[in-house]
């Protein structure tokens, strides 16, 4: 009569030991919070190790011949007409933001990263004037050729001949671009700590989705 009870208690004891052994193995397998661990992160998997190389916007030069004086009369008078011309197309450029942010680990800066922003620049215009010979004008109603020459003419002109000037403008071909470049070894970093410390580090929004591997030291 004693034997069945003994077997019953014995079986319970065996089951209890098995559970303890299973839990112990499970904890050891995962590493408790005092076990030193190492974590390797591939920063290139989330683009955080990028150094930005900025390719400036490119333009082509467009040159136009503009009539400045329709008829040169050295002792004559002129009427002025004001104009505005496009000198440079509007375009997008890129500006780097150095030390854009940092990620700290154990109260020390683990890594710092830069950023960039797009900046839109407006079209550029420039004023200029043209002069038309006015046969009926005098010093009260017109501008003398002497003053026209000072304002608009850089070279000598022949009497009776129109005066033209070459003016250049910049036509946009391509906006500025940014491309990634990597420094050797900057993609992979290693850190050590307990599992809970490493898992807390991985919760940083900037490290979301980073490829990593945690191992015991």
């Amino acid at each position: 009569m004693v034997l069945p009870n003994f077997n019953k208690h014995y079986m319970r004891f065996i089951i209890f030991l098995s559970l303890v052994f299973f839990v112990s193995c499970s904890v050891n397998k995962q590493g408790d919070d005092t076990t030193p661990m190492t974590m390797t992160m591939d920063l290139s998997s989330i683009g955080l190790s990028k150094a930005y190389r900025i390719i400036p916007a490119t333009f082509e030069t467009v040159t136009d011949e503009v009539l400045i004086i329709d008829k040169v009369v050295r002792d004559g008078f002129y009427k002025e007409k004001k104009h505005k011309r496009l000198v440079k197309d509007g375009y997008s450029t890129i500006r780097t933001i150095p030390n854009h942010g940092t990620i700290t680990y154990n109260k020390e800066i683990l890594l710092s990263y830069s950023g960039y922003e797009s900046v839109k620049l407006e079209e550029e215009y420039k004023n200029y004037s043209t002069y038309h010979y006015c046969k009926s004008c005098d010093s009260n109603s017109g501008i003398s050729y002497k003053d026209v020459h000072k304002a608009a003419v850089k070279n000598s002109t022949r009497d009776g001949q129109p005066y033209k000037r070459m003016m250049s403008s910049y036509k946009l071909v391509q906006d500025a671009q940014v491309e990634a470049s990597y420094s050797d070894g900057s993609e992979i970093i290693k850190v050590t700590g307990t599992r809970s410390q490493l898992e807390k580090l991985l919760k940083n929004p900037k490290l979301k989705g980073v490829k990593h591997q945690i191992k015991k030291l």
Side-chain angles (χ1 to χ4, degrees):
M1 294 296 292
V2 176
L3 187 59
N5 284 332
F6 174 79
N7 288 338
K8 187 176 182 181
H9 290 298
Y10 178 75
M11 289 301 296
R12 287 179 179 174
F13 180 69
I14 294 299
I15 292 171
F16 172 76
L17 287 179
S18 299
L19 288 173
V20 170
F21 179 76
F22 175 77
V23 171
S24 176
C25 290
S26 178
V27 170
N28 288 332
K29 184 178 180 181
Q30 293 180 0
D32 59 37
D33 205 37
T34 60
T35 304
M37 312 287 283
T38 181
M39 178 169 67
T40 303
M41 291 187 290
D42 181 2
L43 299 180
S44 67
S45 65
I46 52 172
L48 198 58
S49 61
K50 291 178 182 177
Y52 298 109
R53 186 171 77 89
I54 295 174
I55 304 171
T58 53
F59 298 84
E60 64 179 6
T61 303
V62 179
T63 305
D64 293 316
E65 189 175 52
V66 178
L67 181 66
I68 300 297
I69 305 174
D70 63 342
K71 182 180 180 182
V72 174
V73 180
R74 293 176 188 271
D75 59 353
F77 293 89
Y78 298 80
K79 288 288 188 180
E80 181 182 21
K81 186 175 182 181
K82 295 187 180 296
H83 305 268
K84 182 180 285 187
R85 68 184 183 92
L86 180 65
V87 177
K88 192 174 188 178
D89 283 340
Y91 65 102
S92 291
T93 188
I94 296 169
R95 184 162 48 218
T96 56
I97 309 173
N99 300 320
H100 185 58
T102 57
I103 294 176
T104 58
Y105 178 64
N106 288 339
K107 298 181 180 180
E108 293 185 2
I109 294 177
L110 175 63
L111 61 99
S112 59
Y113 53 90
S114 298
Y116 66 91
E117 60 183 349
S118 179
V119 181
K120 182 70 176 178
L121 297 180
E122 301 298 326
E123 297 172 329
E124 295 179 25
Y125 290 88
K126 188 174 182 179
N127 296 323
Y128 73 99
S129 297
T130 59
Y131 300 89
H132 302 274
Y133 173 64
C134 178
K135 189 174 183 180
S136 60
C137 290
D138 56 21
S139 58
N140 294 320
S141 57
I143 305 170
S144 70
Y145 174 75
K146 182 179 179 181
D147 292 330
V148 169
H149 190 275
K150 287 180 182 179
V153 182
K154 294 183 179 180
N155 303 314
S156 61
T157 55
R158 287 190 296 168
D159 207 39
Q161 297 296 316
Y163 174 67
K164 298 178 180 180
R165 182 186 294 172
M166 300 302 292
M167 293 186 177
S168 296
S169 61
Y170 298 98
K171 183 178 180 182
L172 180 66
V173 175
Q174 180 174 281
D175 284 315
Q177 295 179 312
V178 62
E179 65 178 26
S181 61
Y182 293 94
S183 301
D184 291 341
S186 66
E187 301 95 330
I188 307 295
I189 63 171
K190 290 185 178 181
V191 291
T192 59
T194 64
R195 179 174 288 276
S196 63
Q197 288 174 328
L198 298 177
E199 288 176 348
K200 183 179 179 181
L201 174 62
L202 287 172
K203 290 180 180 179
N204 188 298
K206 279 291 179 180
L207 293 175
K208 184 178 180 180
V210 66
K211 289 183 179 179
H212 66 281
Q213 189 174 35
I214 300 178
K215 294 181 177 179
K216 285 185 181 181
L217 277 176

